[in-house]
Amino acid sequence: MSLAATWRAARPPAAGLHLDSAACSRQSYAALDAAARHARHEAEVGGYVAAEAAAPVLDAGRAAFAALTGIPDGAVVFTTGSRNALELLLSRWPGTHRTLACLPGEYGPNLAVMAAQGFTRWMLPVDRDGRLQLDEAAATLGADPPDLVHLTPIGSHRGLVQPLAEMVAMCRGLGIPLVVDAAQALGQIDCAVGADAVYSSSRKWLAGPRGVGALAVRSDLAELVAPGPAVGDANVAAQVGFCVALGEYLTAGPAAVRTALAAAGARSRRVLAQLPGWRVVEPADEPSAITTLAPLGGADPVAVRARLIAEHGIVTTAAGVERAPGELTAPVLRISPHVDATQGDLEVFAAALAGGAGAG
Ligand SMILES: *Cc1c(COP(=O)(O)O)cnc(C)c1O
């Protein structure tokens, strides 16, 4: 069976057309069942006893996350998501007048976390598309190194892929720790390239449950993520589901999934290139399954998203400027098919969009 067919057969059929993996992918039967079984086990033997019994599954999940983030002998902790991971890391980062460098297109909620944790922020140099300019970045970072560089290799607001591996090499050369927000990158591009800390969410491209994520850090940063006295409760059932999703992702083959997702992005942009009233934001062959459409004729992406759900059962995202306040100037409509989206699915979406582009 092809990867697309395997992926599709492994989960419940979609009620309509799901083009929203960057928001929340569709879980597999195996991930759903594992989480439900764990919850049931909690009812049978007690929540804390069940958690002990799940330890091997959770260990395997942490090891899978460490492998996928390229931090094999580091420390991995489960979080409630990506934002929670950044909060944890920055709240414990040493120093007082702390500084970091990030992209102008940084995820808006991350900017809020950075500010709340008292970090002074510098912007990395980018070209007109928002892509990191490596030579200029090396010069700026070398001249005045911040405490850390925070890189979001793929944002929420567009499917542009930043040069992660090159940035890892540069930061290592300069001796600056590199922290990576892999909420969108993990699953879509190779993140096992040697960053110092990598965090991600379960529900996006790895197709695990909502409300869980993980953070991996190099072993000498392990004390930053050691459980403190104020650690709250955890949804162990969701962690178990995430571990199963990680295992399924590894079984499917990270390189094969990445290639298929890049192909889904290229296919989307080919189908949508001539759509009246909308402009495809990404370069046609950008290796990401995220495609965003900017309205040309005044359509409102929020209203269009609602209409697509109500009239066509098509799930997409309207991404507002708050997702990247330093880069987005107007809302865009985002589609993010997983590996099982067909050419026909994308044509159905294009036709639905064209059918009411002005009215949206
Ligand atoms: C979704 C997203 C986040 C936040 O993830 P949560 O798990 O909801 O906290 C952070 N960064 C990017 C780039 C995202 O797309």
Side-chain angles (χ1 to χ4, degrees), residues 12 21 31 42 63 107 126 132 143 156 164 168 181 188 192 227 241 264 273 302 316 358:
S21 295
E42 287 181 342
Y107 186 59
V126 293
L132 180 62
S156 168
L164 172 60
V168 166
D181 171 351
Q188 290 207 79
V302 173
T316 65

Side-chain angles (χ1 to χ4, degrees), residues 81-84 107 110 152 154-156 181 183-184 201 203-204:
S82 292
R83 181 198 157 91
N84 176 227
Y107 186 59
N110 286 352
T152 302
I154 304 181
S156 168
D181 171 351
Q184 297 296 350
S201 313
R203 73 184 184 283
K204 296 179 178 178

Side-chain angles (χ1 to χ4, degrees), residues 48 60 66-67 79 87 89 168 206 221 249 255 271-272 276 300 303-304 346:
Y48 291 84
T79 64
E87 250 163 17
L89 200 59
V168 166
L206 295 172
L221 298 175
Y249 183 87
V271 170
L272 300 170
D300 171 14
V304 172
L346 295 162

Side-chain angles (χ1 to χ4, degrees), residues 118-320:
F119 276 76
T120 304
R121 213 166 57 225
W122 307 336
M123 291 302 164
L124 293 165
V126 293
D127 67 12
R128 282 176 43 189
D129 292 334
R131 204 183 303 269
L132 180 62
Q133 295 204 290
L134 287 162
D135 290 346
E136 280 184 41
T140 351
L141 291 172
D144 197 0
D147 290 311
L148 65 96
V149 170
H150 182 276
L151 185 68
T152 302
I154 304 181
S156 168
H157 67 297
R158 71 175 58 156
L160 200 75
V161 179
Q162 302 291 347
L164 172 60
E166 290 82 351
M167 200 57 181
V168 166
M170 182 197 300
C171 288
R172 183 167 296 166
L174 293 168
I176 307 170
L178 178 64
V179 175
V180 174
D181 171 351
Q184 297 296 350
L186 194 68
Q188 290 207 79
I189 63 167
D190 186 4
C191 292
V193 290
D196 300 286
V198 181
Y199 60 90
S200 192
S201 313
S202 146
R203 73 184 184 283
K204 296 179 178 178
W205 299 96
L206 295 172
R210 298 187 60 177
V212 60
L215 162 65
V217 299
R218 231 176 44 206
S219 53
D220 55 311
L221 298 175
E223 69 198 55
L224 288 180
V225 300
V231 171
D233 190 30
N235 186 342
V236 180
Q239 293 175 350
V240 166
F242 181 27
C243 292
V244 169
L246 280 160
E248 289 188 298
Y249 183 87
L250 288 176
T251 304
V257 178
R258 291 196 298 262
T259 303
L261 289 175
R267 204 180 306 128
S268 305
R269 294 175 208 120
R270 249 192 337 269
V271 170
L272 300 170
Q274 306 304 329
L275 197 69
W278 298 89
R279 177 179 67 86
V280 173
V281 173
E282 293 77 14
D285 290 321
E286 196 68 13
S288 158
I290 294 177
T291 296
T292 53
L293 293 163
L296 296 172
D300 171 14
V302 173
V304 172
R305 170 192 176 270
R307 180 177 67 77
L308 288 170
I309 293 172
E311 295 177 11
H312 301 275
I314 302 176
V315 189
T316 65
T317 285

